[in-house]
Amino acid sequence: MSAPSITSIPKPRSPYKARKTGNFELNSWLFMRGSGLLLVVLVFGHLFVNLMVGKGVHAIDFAFVAGKWANPFWQVWDLAMLWLAELHGMNGLRTIINDYATKDTTRFVLKTLLYFSALIVLVLGTLVIFTFDPCLDPASTLEVCTNR
Amino acid sequence: MWSWVAHRITGVTIFFFLFAHVIDTAMVRVSPEAYNTAVETYKTPVVGVMEVGLVAAVLFHALNGIRIVLVDFWGNGPRYQRQLTYGVIGVFVVLFVPFVWRHLTNVFGG
């Protein structure tokens, strides 16, 4: 047991210095609510179009994705869903790590893994949406390829 | 208290699924065959039933999230918080039952 230190107690009447922490936690709290409401629309729309309409999950294959991403509407939809969901989930896990990981090193390792995985998902997902070309194979018989 | 616990558990579940889902969708960039192989697994009975669990998690997380927004921002939200929780359960059942019926018909009906 070490003796309690008294050096950190400020002298009486020393001016109060507010810690400069900014509004990050307030902003992320607001972001969770805003992105959450947008994601309700984006994710329910995604689930309805991909699983409930027509043959449901059995309709999904390469041609299905090619047809969907030939339309900028679904490119923007999926891009917004990707970024909002990943940042919403990343911030949620950041909060959970802060709540349950009490050791500094554990928190550091878990958060490094978290941010690294989020970076992979965001970069990979964005690249896939924007560099996807369903007609790379010149012999492709897909409708989006034969029509142009 | 229990909706708070469930919100965390469903949130973490969805986050891990999103990681897998972005990777499997990225297979469209590899080749049509690679993507079709990946998405075939979604059509198997086992994953088809797991998808029901995933949608249950998404539905609860979304509806409970709306409840949290209402409690935080709507003037009468805290006063009606109990009714809002019953609302989450009610809307969950109304949306989940038709989904399960339709999705499992698709999965098992070929």
PDB file of all heavy atoms in Angstrom, chain A residues 29 33 51-52 54 56-58 60-62 65 86 89 99-100 121 131, chain B residues 8 15 18-19 28-29 32 35-36 39 43 59 68 72-73 99 102 106-107:
ATOM      1  N   TRP A  29     -23.466  10.184 -29.602  1.00  0.00           N
ATOM      2  CA  TRP A  29     -24.790   9.832 -29.055  1.00  0.00           C
ATOM      3  C   TRP A  29     -25.879  10.236 -30.045  1.00  0.00           C
ATOM      4  O   TRP A  29     -26.794   9.468 -30.335  1.00  0.00           O
ATOM      5  CB  TRP A  29     -24.968  10.557 -27.708  1.00  0.00           C
ATOM      6  CG  TRP A  29     -26.250  10.326 -26.978  1.00  0.00           C
ATOM      7  CD1 TRP A  29     -26.498   9.347 -26.060  1.00  0.00           C
ATOM      8  CD2 TRP A  29     -27.454  11.100 -27.063  1.00  0.00           C
ATOM      9  NE1 TRP A  29     -27.775   9.472 -25.579  1.00  0.00           N
ATOM     10  CE2 TRP A  29     -28.376  10.532 -26.168  1.00  0.00           C
ATOM     11  CE3 TRP A  29     -27.825  12.223 -27.804  1.00  0.00           C
ATOM     12  CZ2 TRP A  29     -29.679  11.044 -25.997  1.00  0.00           C
ATOM     13  CZ3 TRP A  29     -29.114  12.722 -27.640  1.00  0.00           C
ATOM     14  CH2 TRP A  29     -30.014  12.139 -26.743  1.00  0.00           C
ATOM     15  N   ARG A  33     -28.632   7.871 -32.832  1.00  0.00           N
ATOM     16  CA  ARG A  33     -30.073   8.019 -33.023  1.00  0.00           C
ATOM     17  C   ARG A  33     -30.413   8.375 -34.472  1.00  0.00           C
ATOM     18  O   ARG A  33     -31.327   7.806 -35.063  1.00  0.00           O
ATOM     19  CB  ARG A  33     -30.608   9.055 -32.039  1.00  0.00           C
ATOM     20  CG  ARG A  33     -30.882   8.429 -30.693  1.00  0.00           C
ATOM     21  CD  ARG A  33     -30.398   9.250 -29.511  1.00  0.00           C
ATOM     22  NE  ARG A  33     -30.499   8.470 -28.273  1.00  0.00           N
ATOM     23  CZ  ARG A  33     -29.532   7.706 -27.797  1.00  0.00           C
ATOM     24  NH1 ARG A  33     -28.393   7.596 -28.443  1.00  0.00           N
ATOM     25  NH2 ARG A  33     -29.697   7.024 -26.682  1.00  0.00           N
ATOM     26  N   LEU A  51     -35.545 -10.495 -49.836  1.00  0.00           N
ATOM     27  CA  LEU A  51     -36.036 -11.753 -49.265  1.00  0.00           C
ATOM     28  C   LEU A  51     -37.537 -11.968 -49.408  1.00  0.00           C
ATOM     29  O   LEU A  51     -38.002 -13.107 -49.383  1.00  0.00           O
ATOM     30  CB  LEU A  51     -35.666 -11.830 -47.764  1.00  0.00           C
ATOM     31  CG  LEU A  51     -34.180 -11.912 -47.425  1.00  0.00           C
ATOM     32  CD1 LEU A  51     -33.993 -11.975 -45.914  1.00  0.00           C
ATOM     33  CD2 LEU A  51     -33.517 -13.109 -48.078  1.00  0.00           C
ATOM     34  N   MET A  52     -38.324 -10.887 -49.515  1.00  0.00           N
ATOM     35  CA  MET A  52     -39.779 -11.056 -49.462  1.00  0.00           C
ATOM     36  C   MET A  52     -40.415 -11.051 -50.844  1.00  0.00           C
ATOM     37  O   MET A  52     -41.440 -11.685 -51.074  1.00  0.00           O
ATOM     38  CB  MET A  52     -40.411  -9.929 -48.622  1.00  0.00           C
ATOM     39  CG  MET A  52     -39.981  -9.914 -47.160  1.00  0.00           C
ATOM     40  SD  MET A  52     -40.746 -11.221 -46.165  1.00  0.00           S
ATOM     41  CE  MET A  52     -39.512 -12.522 -46.273  1.00  0.00           C
ATOM     42  N   GLY A  54     -40.980 -11.808 -54.841  1.00  0.00           N
ATOM     43  CA  GLY A  54     -40.715 -12.863 -55.816  1.00  0.00           C
ATOM     44  C   GLY A  54     -40.347 -14.187 -55.168  1.00  0.00           C
ATOM     45  O   GLY A  54     -41.022 -14.665 -54.269  1.00  0.00           O
ATOM     46  N   GLY A  56     -37.815 -14.708 -53.308  1.00  0.00           N
ATOM     47  CA  GLY A  56     -37.054 -14.513 -52.078  1.00  0.00           C
ATOM     48  C   GLY A  56     -35.584 -14.816 -52.262  1.00  0.00           C
ATOM     49  O   GLY A  56     -34.987 -14.457 -53.289  1.00  0.00           O
ATOM     50  N   VAL A  57     -35.026 -15.525 -51.289  1.00  0.00           N
ATOM     51  CA  VAL A  57     -33.579 -15.781 -51.286  1.00  0.00           C
ATOM     52  C   VAL A  57     -33.147 -16.586 -52.518  1.00  0.00           C
ATOM     53  O   VAL A  57     -32.015 -16.474 -52.981  1.00  0.00           O
ATOM     54  CB  VAL A  57     -33.166 -16.478 -49.963  1.00  0.00           C
ATOM     55  CG1 VAL A  57     -33.696 -17.907 -49.888  1.00  0.00           C
ATOM     56  CG2 VAL A  57     -31.654 -16.464 -49.784  1.00  0.00           C
ATOM     57  N   HIS A  58     -34.053 -17.359 -53.099  1.00  0.00           N
ATOM     58  CA  HIS A  58     -33.680 -18.183 -54.255  1.00  0.00           C
ATOM     59  C   HIS A  58     -33.452 -17.365 -55.521  1.00  0.00           C
ATOM     60  O   HIS A  58     -32.897 -17.875 -56.488  1.00  0.00           O
ATOM     61  CB  HIS A  58     -34.754 -19.249 -54.512  1.00  0.00           C
ATOM     62  CG  HIS A  58     -34.654 -20.400 -53.551  1.00  0.00           C
ATOM     63  ND1 HIS A  58     -33.655 -21.331 -53.609  1.00  0.00           N
ATOM     64  CD2 HIS A  58     -35.412 -20.720 -52.477  1.00  0.00           C
ATOM     65  CE1 HIS A  58     -33.804 -22.204 -52.624  1.00  0.00           C
ATOM     66  NE2 HIS A  58     -34.860 -21.846 -51.915  1.00  0.00           N
ATOM     67  N   ILE A  60     -31.562 -14.713 -55.563  1.00  0.00           N
ATOM     68  CA  ILE A  60     -30.293 -13.980 -55.448  1.00  0.00           C
ATOM     69  C   ILE A  60     -29.141 -14.791 -56.041  1.00  0.00           C
ATOM     70  O   ILE A  60     -28.875 -15.919 -55.621  1.00  0.00           O
ATOM     71  CB  ILE A  60     -29.987 -13.634 -53.974  1.00  0.00           C
ATOM     72  CG1 ILE A  60     -31.138 -12.818 -53.375  1.00  0.00           C
ATOM     73  CG2 ILE A  60     -28.685 -12.841 -53.889  1.00  0.00           C
ATOM     74  CD1 ILE A  60     -30.962 -12.513 -51.904  1.00  0.00           C
ATOM     75  N   ASP A  61     -28.508 -14.224 -57.076  1.00  0.00           N
ATOM     76  CA  ASP A  61     -27.280 -14.786 -57.641  1.00  0.00           C
ATOM     77  C   ASP A  61     -26.512 -13.637 -58.293  1.00  0.00           C
ATOM     78  O   ASP A  61     -26.877 -12.463 -58.113  1.00  0.00           O
ATOM     79  CB  ASP A  61     -27.595 -15.905 -58.656  1.00  0.00           C
ATOM     80  CG  ASP A  61     -28.468 -15.425 -59.800  1.00  0.00           C
ATOM     81  OD1 ASP A  61     -28.755 -14.200 -59.861  1.00  0.00           O
ATOM     82  OD2 ASP A  61     -28.869 -16.243 -60.636  1.00  0.00           O
ATOM     83  N   PHE A  62     -25.446 -13.952 -59.025  1.00  0.00           N
ATOM     84  CA  PHE A  62     -24.615 -12.915 -59.636  1.00  0.00           C
ATOM     85  C   PHE A  62     -25.451 -11.986 -60.520  1.00  0.00           C
ATOM     86  O   PHE A  62     -25.292 -10.762 -60.481  1.00  0.00           O
ATOM     87  CB  PHE A  62     -23.497 -13.562 -60.456  1.00  0.00           C
ATOM     88  CG  PHE A  62     -22.511 -12.584 -61.019  1.00  0.00           C
ATOM     89  CD1 PHE A  62     -21.492 -12.079 -60.225  1.00  0.00           C
ATOM     90  CD2 PHE A  62     -22.599 -12.160 -62.338  1.00  0.00           C
ATOM     91  CE1 PHE A  62     -20.580 -11.160 -60.738  1.00  0.00           C
ATOM     92  CE2 PHE A  62     -21.687 -11.248 -62.858  1.00  0.00           C
ATOM     93  CZ  PHE A  62     -20.679 -10.752 -62.064  1.00  0.00           C
ATOM     94  N   VAL A  65     -27.449  -9.389 -58.501  1.00  0.00           N
ATOM     95  CA  VAL A  65     -26.628  -8.258 -58.037  1.00  0.00           C
ATOM     96  C   VAL A  65     -26.274  -7.356 -59.217  1.00  0.00           C
ATOM     97  O   VAL A  65     -26.315  -6.114 -59.107  1.00  0.00           O
ATOM     98  CB  VAL A  65     -25.352  -8.767 -57.335  1.00  0.00           C
ATOM     99  CG1 VAL A  65     -24.492  -7.609 -56.859  1.00  0.00           C
ATOM    100  CG2 VAL A  65     -25.704  -9.676 -56.164  1.00  0.00           C
ATOM    101  N   GLU A  86     -21.917   0.299 -40.594  1.00  0.00           N
ATOM    102  CA  GLU A  86     -20.596  -0.008 -40.052  1.00  0.00           C
ATOM    103  C   GLU A  86     -20.198   0.998 -38.976  1.00  0.00           C
ATOM    104  O   GLU A  86     -19.676   0.621 -37.921  1.00  0.00           O
ATOM    105  CB  GLU A  86     -19.563  -0.046 -41.186  1.00  0.00           C
ATOM    106  CG  GLU A  86     -18.178  -0.489 -40.766  1.00  0.00           C
ATOM    107  CD  GLU A  86     -18.128  -1.905 -40.196  1.00  0.00           C
ATOM    108  OE1 GLU A  86     -18.951  -2.742 -40.584  1.00  0.00           O
ATOM    109  OE2 GLU A  86     -17.245  -2.163 -39.344  1.00  0.00           O
ATOM    110  N   GLY A  89     -22.404   0.410 -35.896  1.00  0.00           N
ATOM    111  CA  GLY A  89     -21.960  -0.788 -35.177  1.00  0.00           C
ATOM    112  C   GLY A  89     -20.615  -0.579 -34.507  1.00  0.00           C
ATOM    113  O   GLY A  89     -20.386  -1.018 -33.381  1.00  0.00           O
ATOM    114  N   ASP A  99     -17.293  -0.194 -21.612  1.00  0.00           N
ATOM    115  CA  ASP A  99     -18.062  -0.602 -20.432  1.00  0.00           C
ATOM    116  C   ASP A  99     -17.477  -1.842 -19.754  1.00  0.00           C
ATOM    117  O   ASP A  99     -17.499  -1.946 -18.532  1.00  0.00           O
ATOM    118  CB  ASP A  99     -19.513  -0.914 -20.830  1.00  0.00           C
ATOM    119  CG  ASP A  99     -20.340   0.351 -20.914  1.00  0.00           C
ATOM    120  OD1 ASP A  99     -19.790   1.434 -20.633  1.00  0.00           O
ATOM    121  OD2 ASP A  99     -21.535   0.258 -21.255  1.00  0.00           O
ATOM    122  N   TYR A 100     -16.990  -2.799 -20.537  1.00  0.00           N
ATOM    123  CA  TYR A 100     -16.658  -4.104 -19.949  1.00  0.00           C
ATOM    124  C   TYR A 100     -15.165  -4.383 -19.854  1.00  0.00           C
ATOM    125  O   TYR A 100     -14.759  -5.195 -19.027  1.00  0.00           O
ATOM    126  CB  TYR A 100     -17.341  -5.228 -20.726  1.00  0.00           C
ATOM    127  CG  TYR A 100     -18.846  -5.126 -20.699  1.00  0.00           C
ATOM    128  CD1 TYR A 100     -19.579  -4.931 -21.862  1.00  0.00           C
ATOM    129  CD2 TYR A 100     -19.538  -5.215 -19.491  1.00  0.00           C
ATOM    130  CE1 TYR A 100     -20.958  -4.824 -21.832  1.00  0.00           C
ATOM    131  CE2 TYR A 100     -20.913  -5.108 -19.459  1.00  0.00           C
ATOM    132  CZ  TYR A 100     -21.617  -4.910 -20.630  1.00  0.00           C
ATOM    133  OH  TYR A 100     -22.981  -4.800 -20.586  1.00  0.00           O
ATOM    134  N   VAL A 121     -13.896  -3.352 -43.756  1.00  0.00           N
ATOM    135  CA  VAL A 121     -15.268  -3.457 -44.254  1.00  0.00           C
ATOM    136  C   VAL A 121     -15.643  -2.227 -45.083  1.00  0.00           C
ATOM    137  O   VAL A 121     -16.227  -2.353 -46.166  1.00  0.00           O
ATOM    138  CB  VAL A 121     -16.250  -3.646 -43.068  1.00  0.00           C
ATOM    139  CG1 VAL A 121     -17.686  -3.419 -43.508  1.00  0.00           C
ATOM    140  CG2 VAL A 121     -16.087  -5.032 -42.460  1.00  0.00           C
ATOM    141  N   THR A 131     -16.449  -0.433 -58.164  1.00  0.00           N
ATOM    142  CA  THR A 131     -15.628  -1.004 -59.240  1.00  0.00           C
ATOM    143  C   THR A 131     -16.251  -2.259 -59.827  1.00  0.00           C
ATOM    144  O   THR A 131     -15.666  -2.886 -60.694  1.00  0.00           O
ATOM    145  CB  THR A 131     -14.202  -1.355 -58.733  1.00  0.00           C
ATOM    146  OG1 THR A 131     -14.309  -2.436 -57.796  1.00  0.00           O
ATOM    147  CG2 THR A 131     -13.550  -0.154 -58.065  1.00  0.00           C
TER     148      THR A 131
ATOM    149  N   ARG B   8     -27.994  -4.697 -26.670  1.00  0.00           N
ATOM    150  CA  ARG B   8     -26.549  -4.911 -26.819  1.00  0.00           C
ATOM    151  C   ARG B   8     -26.255  -6.232 -27.522  1.00  0.00           C
ATOM    152  O   ARG B   8     -25.432  -6.284 -28.443  1.00  0.00           O
ATOM    153  CB  ARG B   8     -25.873  -4.915 -25.448  1.00  0.00           C
ATOM    154  CG  ARG B   8     -25.944  -3.573 -24.767  1.00  0.00           C
ATOM    155  CD  ARG B   8     -24.861  -3.377 -23.751  1.00  0.00           C
ATOM    156  NE  ARG B   8     -24.520  -1.950 -23.732  1.00  0.00           N
ATOM    157  CZ  ARG B   8     -23.572  -1.422 -22.982  1.00  0.00           C
ATOM    158  NH1 ARG B   8     -22.863  -2.183 -22.181  1.00  0.00           N
ATOM    159  NH2 ARG B   8     -23.313  -0.134 -23.028  1.00  0.00           N
ATOM    160  N   PHE B  15     -23.549  -6.734 -35.920  1.00  0.00           N
ATOM    161  CA  PHE B  15     -22.243  -6.204 -36.332  1.00  0.00           C
ATOM    162  C   PHE B  15     -21.361  -7.316 -36.907  1.00  0.00           C
ATOM    163  O   PHE B  15     -20.741  -7.134 -37.955  1.00  0.00           O
ATOM    164  CB  PHE B  15     -21.545  -5.542 -35.137  1.00  0.00           C
ATOM    165  CG  PHE B  15     -20.238  -4.898 -35.495  1.00  0.00           C
ATOM    166  CD1 PHE B  15     -20.207  -3.663 -36.131  1.00  0.00           C
ATOM    167  CD2 PHE B  15     -19.038  -5.523 -35.205  1.00  0.00           C
ATOM    168  CE1 PHE B  15     -19.004  -3.057 -36.462  1.00  0.00           C
ATOM    169  CE2 PHE B  15     -17.825  -4.916 -35.542  1.00  0.00           C
ATOM    170  CZ  PHE B  15     -17.812  -3.688 -36.168  1.00  0.00           C
ATOM    171  N   LEU B  18     -22.629  -8.340 -40.298  1.00  0.00           N
ATOM    172  CA  LEU B  18     -22.306  -7.358 -41.333  1.00  0.00           C
ATOM    173  C   LEU B  18     -20.903  -7.604 -41.886  1.00  0.00           C
ATOM    174  O   LEU B  18     -20.691  -7.531 -43.100  1.00  0.00           O
ATOM    175  CB  LEU B  18     -22.411  -5.934 -40.765  1.00  0.00           C
ATOM    176  CG  LEU B  18     -22.081  -4.790 -41.739  1.00  0.00           C
ATOM    177  CD1 LEU B  18     -23.046  -4.779 -42.907  1.00  0.00           C
ATOM    178  CD2 LEU B  18     -22.116  -3.448 -41.021  1.00  0.00           C
ATOM    179  N   PHE B  19     -19.958  -7.928 -41.011  1.00  0.00           N
ATOM    180  CA  PHE B  19     -18.590  -8.235 -41.455  1.00  0.00           C
ATOM    181  C   PHE B  19     -18.601  -9.393 -42.455  1.00  0.00           C
ATOM    182  O   PHE B  19     -18.060  -9.300 -43.555  1.00  0.00           O
ATOM    183  CB  PHE B  19     -17.712  -8.585 -40.237  1.00  0.00           C
ATOM    184  CG  PHE B  19     -16.272  -8.812 -40.566  1.00  0.00           C
ATOM    185  CD1 PHE B  19     -15.404  -7.736 -40.723  1.00  0.00           C
ATOM    186  CD2 PHE B  19     -15.779 -10.098 -40.742  1.00  0.00           C
ATOM    187  CE1 PHE B  19     -14.066  -7.937 -41.043  1.00  0.00           C
ATOM    188  CE2 PHE B  19     -14.433 -10.302 -41.059  1.00  0.00           C
ATOM    189  CZ  PHE B  19     -13.579  -9.224 -41.208  1.00  0.00           C
ATOM    190  N   VAL B  28     -18.595 -10.944 -55.613  1.00  0.00           N
ATOM    191  CA  VAL B  28     -19.015 -10.531 -56.967  1.00  0.00           C
ATOM    192  C   VAL B  28     -17.829  -9.941 -57.730  1.00  0.00           C
ATOM    193  O   VAL B  28     -17.826  -9.920 -58.956  1.00  0.00           O
ATOM    194  CB  VAL B  28     -20.162  -9.470 -56.969  1.00  0.00           C
ATOM    195  CG1 VAL B  28     -21.454 -10.051 -56.452  1.00  0.00           C
ATOM    196  CG2 VAL B  28     -19.776  -8.214 -56.216  1.00  0.00           C
ATOM    197  N   ARG B  29     -16.829  -9.466 -56.964  1.00  0.00           N
ATOM    198  CA  ARG B  29     -15.657  -8.848 -57.583  1.00  0.00           C
ATOM    199  C   ARG B  29     -14.625  -9.904 -57.969  1.00  0.00           C
ATOM    200  O   ARG B  29     -13.688  -9.610 -58.713  1.00  0.00           O
ATOM    201  CB  ARG B  29     -15.080  -7.844 -56.573  1.00  0.00           C
ATOM    202  CG  ARG B  29     -14.253  -6.734 -57.110  1.00  0.00           C
ATOM    203  CD  ARG B  29     -14.989  -5.823 -58.042  1.00  0.00           C
ATOM    204  NE  ARG B  29     -14.022  -4.915 -58.668  1.00  0.00           N
ATOM    205  CZ  ARG B  29     -13.192  -5.259 -59.639  1.00  0.00           C
ATOM    206  NH1 ARG B  29     -13.218  -6.482 -60.130  1.00  0.00           N
ATOM    207  NH2 ARG B  29     -12.332  -4.395 -60.119  1.00  0.00           N
ATOM    208  N   PRO B  32     -18.299 -14.544 -61.098  1.00  0.00           N
ATOM    209  CA  PRO B  32     -19.701 -14.948 -60.912  1.00  0.00           C
ATOM    210  C   PRO B  32     -19.812 -16.274 -60.165  1.00  0.00           C
ATOM    211  O   PRO B  32     -20.685 -16.431 -59.299  1.00  0.00           O
ATOM    212  CB  PRO B  32     -20.228 -15.082 -62.348  1.00  0.00           C
ATOM    213  CG  PRO B  32     -19.372 -14.164 -63.156  1.00  0.00           C
ATOM    214  CD  PRO B  32     -18.013 -14.209 -62.501  1.00  0.00           C
ATOM    215  N   TYR B  35     -19.205 -15.849 -56.393  1.00  0.00           N
ATOM    216  CA  TYR B  35     -20.339 -15.244 -55.704  1.00  0.00           C
ATOM    217  C   TYR B  35     -21.502 -16.226 -55.583  1.00  0.00           C
ATOM    218  O   TYR B  35     -22.116 -16.339 -54.521  1.00  0.00           O
ATOM    219  CB  TYR B  35     -20.818 -13.971 -56.419  1.00  0.00           C
ATOM    220  CG  TYR B  35     -21.984 -13.343 -55.696  1.00  0.00           C
ATOM    221  CD1 TYR B  35     -21.794 -12.663 -54.494  1.00  0.00           C
ATOM    222  CD2 TYR B  35     -23.299 -13.477 -56.168  1.00  0.00           C
ATOM    223  CE1 TYR B  35     -22.846 -12.122 -53.790  1.00  0.00           C
ATOM    224  CE2 TYR B  35     -24.363 -12.940 -55.462  1.00  0.00           C
ATOM    225  CZ  TYR B  35     -24.131 -12.259 -54.281  1.00  0.00           C
ATOM    226  OH  TYR B  35     -25.186 -11.741 -53.591  1.00  0.00           O
ATOM    227  N   ASN B  36     -21.791 -16.939 -56.686  1.00  0.00           N
ATOM    228  CA  ASN B  36     -22.916 -17.880 -56.641  1.00  0.00           C
ATOM    229  C   ASN B  36     -22.683 -18.978 -55.608  1.00  0.00           C
ATOM    230  O   ASN B  36     -23.620 -19.399 -54.926  1.00  0.00           O
ATOM    231  CB  ASN B  36     -23.154 -18.480 -58.032  1.00  0.00           C
ATOM    232  CG  ASN B  36     -23.789 -17.461 -58.974  1.00  0.00           C
ATOM    233  OD1 ASN B  36     -24.323 -16.441 -58.531  1.00  0.00           O
ATOM    234  ND2 ASN B  36     -23.720 -17.729 -60.263  1.00  0.00           N
ATOM    235  N   VAL B  39     -23.361 -17.373 -52.177  1.00  0.00           N
ATOM    236  CA  VAL B  39     -24.760 -17.060 -51.887  1.00  0.00           C
ATOM    237  C   VAL B  39     -25.612 -18.333 -51.834  1.00  0.00           C
ATOM    238  O   VAL B  39     -26.690 -18.334 -51.256  1.00  0.00           O
ATOM    239  CB  VAL B  39     -25.298 -16.020 -52.910  1.00  0.00           C
ATOM    240  CG1 VAL B  39     -25.861 -16.681 -54.147  1.00  0.00           C
ATOM    241  CG2 VAL B  39     -26.328 -15.109 -52.246  1.00  0.00           C
ATOM    242  N   LYS B  43     -29.134 -20.303 -49.154  1.00  0.00           N
ATOM    243  CA  LYS B  43     -30.368 -20.986 -49.555  1.00  0.00           C
ATOM    244  C   LYS B  43     -30.516 -22.345 -48.897  1.00  0.00           C
ATOM    245  O   LYS B  43     -31.520 -23.024 -49.087  1.00  0.00           O
ATOM    246  CB  LYS B  43     -30.399 -21.125 -51.086  1.00  0.00           C
ATOM    247  CG  LYS B  43     -30.316 -19.778 -51.789  1.00  0.00           C
ATOM    248  CD  LYS B  43     -30.028 -19.897 -53.288  1.00  0.00           C
ATOM    249  CE  LYS B  43     -29.748 -18.516 -53.876  1.00  0.00           C
ATOM    250  NZ  LYS B  43     -29.326 -18.573 -55.283  1.00  0.00           N
ATOM    251  N   LEU B  59     -35.016  -6.839 -36.292  1.00  0.00           N
ATOM    252  CA  LEU B  59     -36.336  -6.278 -35.982  1.00  0.00           C
ATOM    253  C   LEU B  59     -36.369  -5.724 -34.561  1.00  0.00           C
ATOM    254  O   LEU B  59     -36.801  -4.588 -34.329  1.00  0.00           O
ATOM    255  CB  LEU B  59     -37.397  -7.376 -36.112  1.00  0.00           C
ATOM    256  CG  LEU B  59     -38.321  -7.345 -37.326  1.00  0.00           C
ATOM    257  CD1 LEU B  59     -39.337  -8.465 -37.214  1.00  0.00           C
ATOM    258  CD2 LEU B  59     -39.021  -6.000 -37.460  1.00  0.00           C
ATOM    259  N   ILE B  68     -36.121   3.985 -27.939  1.00  0.00           N
ATOM    260  CA  ILE B  68     -35.101   4.807 -27.257  1.00  0.00           C
ATOM    261  C   ILE B  68     -35.162   6.249 -27.769  1.00  0.00           C
ATOM    262  O   ILE B  68     -35.123   7.202 -26.982  1.00  0.00           O
ATOM    263  CB  ILE B  68     -33.696   4.204 -27.481  1.00  0.00           C
ATOM    264  CG1 ILE B  68     -33.583   2.858 -26.757  1.00  0.00           C
ATOM    265  CG2 ILE B  68     -32.608   5.156 -26.998  1.00  0.00           C
ATOM    266  CD1 ILE B  68     -32.324   2.070 -27.100  1.00  0.00           C
ATOM    267  N   ASP B  72     -36.029   9.542 -25.588  1.00  0.00           N
ATOM    268  CA  ASP B  72     -35.055  10.633 -25.482  1.00  0.00           C
ATOM    269  C   ASP B  72     -35.579  11.966 -26.003  1.00  0.00           C
ATOM    270  O   ASP B  72     -35.261  13.021 -25.467  1.00  0.00           O
ATOM    271  CB  ASP B  72     -33.777  10.268 -26.263  1.00  0.00           C
ATOM    272  CG  ASP B  72     -32.928   9.246 -25.513  1.00  0.00           C
ATOM    273  OD1 ASP B  72     -33.187   9.045 -24.325  1.00  0.00           O
ATOM    274  OD2 ASP B  72     -32.015   8.660 -26.133  1.00  0.00           O
ATOM    275  N   PHE B  73     -36.350  11.931 -27.098  1.00  0.00           N
ATOM    276  CA  PHE B  73     -36.664  13.187 -27.785  1.00  0.00           C
ATOM    277  C   PHE B  73     -38.138  13.590 -27.714  1.00  0.00           C
ATOM    278  O   PHE B  73     -38.455  14.752 -27.938  1.00  0.00           O
ATOM    279  CB  PHE B  73     -36.254  13.098 -29.269  1.00  0.00           C
ATOM    280  CG  PHE B  73     -34.768  13.060 -29.456  1.00  0.00           C
ATOM    281  CD1 PHE B  73     -34.121  11.886 -29.834  1.00  0.00           C
ATOM    282  CD2 PHE B  73     -33.998  14.194 -29.238  1.00  0.00           C
ATOM    283  CE1 PHE B  73     -32.750  11.851 -30.009  1.00  0.00           C
ATOM    284  CE2 PHE B  73     -32.630  14.169 -29.410  1.00  0.00           C
ATOM    285  CZ  PHE B  73     -32.010  13.001 -29.788  1.00  0.00           C
ATOM    286  N   PHE B  99     -43.047 -12.459 -41.799  1.00  0.00           N
ATOM    287  CA  PHE B  99     -41.718 -12.672 -42.375  1.00  0.00           C
ATOM    288  C   PHE B  99     -41.326 -14.139 -42.298  1.00  0.00           C
ATOM    289  O   PHE B  99     -40.874 -14.732 -43.286  1.00  0.00           O
ATOM    290  CB  PHE B  99     -40.644 -11.831 -41.656  1.00  0.00           C
ATOM    291  CG  PHE B  99     -39.247 -12.262 -42.033  1.00  0.00           C
ATOM    292  CD1 PHE B  99     -38.673 -11.830 -43.213  1.00  0.00           C
ATOM    293  CD2 PHE B  99     -38.537 -13.167 -41.239  1.00  0.00           C
ATOM    294  CE1 PHE B  99     -37.414 -12.264 -43.602  1.00  0.00           C
ATOM    295  CE2 PHE B  99     -37.275 -13.600 -41.618  1.00  0.00           C
ATOM    296  CZ  PHE B  99     -36.715 -13.152 -42.800  1.00  0.00           C
ATOM    297  N   ARG B 102     -43.299 -16.274 -44.811  1.00  0.00           N
ATOM    298  CA  ARG B 102     -42.893 -16.032 -46.196  1.00  0.00           C
ATOM    299  C   ARG B 102     -41.472 -16.559 -46.468  1.00  0.00           C
ATOM    300  O   ARG B 102     -41.223 -17.229 -47.467  1.00  0.00           O
ATOM    301  CB  ARG B 102     -42.960 -14.519 -46.478  1.00  0.00           C
ATOM    302  CG  ARG B 102     -42.492 -14.104 -47.846  1.00  0.00           C
ATOM    303  CD  ARG B 102     -43.630 -14.029 -48.823  1.00  0.00           C
ATOM    304  NE  ARG B 102     -43.161 -13.592 -50.134  1.00  0.00           N
ATOM    305  CZ  ARG B 102     -43.012 -14.420 -51.165  1.00  0.00           C
ATOM    306  NH1 ARG B 102     -43.310 -15.700 -51.062  1.00  0.00           N
ATOM    307  NH2 ARG B 102     -42.590 -13.962 -52.327  1.00  0.00           N
ATOM    308  N   ASN B 106     -40.214 -19.726 -48.824  1.00  0.00           N
ATOM    309  CA  ASN B 106     -39.213 -19.581 -49.887  1.00  0.00           C
ATOM    310  C   ASN B 106     -38.079 -20.589 -49.725  1.00  0.00           C
ATOM    311  O   ASN B 106     -37.666 -21.231 -50.690  1.00  0.00           O
ATOM    312  CB  ASN B 106     -38.621 -18.163 -49.863  1.00  0.00           C
ATOM    313  CG  ASN B 106     -39.538 -17.149 -50.525  1.00  0.00           C
ATOM    314  OD1 ASN B 106     -40.311 -17.487 -51.409  1.00  0.00           O
ATOM    315  ND2 ASN B 106     -39.459 -15.915 -50.072  1.00  0.00           N
ATOM    316  N   VAL B 107     -37.573 -20.704 -48.492  1.00  0.00           N
ATOM    317  CA  VAL B 107     -36.403 -21.559 -48.266  1.00  0.00           C
ATOM    318  C   VAL B 107     -36.744 -23.024 -48.518  1.00  0.00           C
ATOM    319  O   VAL B 107     -36.026 -23.721 -49.232  1.00  0.00           O
ATOM    320  CB  VAL B 107     -35.862 -21.375 -46.829  1.00  0.00           C
ATOM    321  CG1 VAL B 107     -34.825 -22.438 -46.497  1.00  0.00           C
ATOM    322  CG2 VAL B 107     -35.259 -19.987 -46.662  1.00  0.00           C
TER     323      VAL B 107
END
